[in-house]
Amino acid sequence: MTPFTFQRGETIALALDAVNGDPLSVTGISAVLKAVPPGRTGVPDGAPVAATFSIAQRAASGEIPPGWTLGIDATASAALTPGAYLADARLEVAGG
């Protein structure tokens, strides 16, 4: 997992790259941000959602693979409690 540092109140943008397979076979995608409890490196099952990402599909460009840009706007970012968070993205692929 690559850690990123963001300031509360700034727009959060993360790239989710399609490094394998055909990204056009993805029929559904969702992504949320969940708070990591103090002293932990992950989130427990059923952890509450702190924010929901907006999702924009992204075409390949030069050496950047196709994929999606996950975003949380500045207003939602400002409402987050200071701390560590984990992005949880789920992809549904055609046929299963």
Side-chain angles (χ1 to χ4, degrees), residues 26-58:
V26 174
T27 57
I29 182 169
S30 63
V32 296
L33 196 66
K34 296 180 178 183
V36 177
R40 305 291 219 127
T41 57
V43 295
D45 288 342
V49 171
T52 300
F53 286 96
S54 62
I55 302 167
Q57 192 158 13
R58 190 186 72 237

Side-chain angles (χ1 to χ4, degrees), residues 1 4 8 33-36 43 49-51 79-87:
M1 219 176 348
F4 297 98
R8 287 176 59 225
L33 196 66
K34 296 180 178 183
V36 177
V43 295
V49 171
L80 294 171
T81 302
Y85 290 84
L86 182 94

Side-chain angles (χ1 to χ4, degrees), residues 51-76:
T52 300
F53 286 96
S54 62
I55 302 167
Q57 192 158 13
R58 190 186 72 237
S61 176
E63 293 187 23
I64 299 171
W68 303 267
T69 300
L70 311 179
I72 293 177
D73 68 26
T75 302

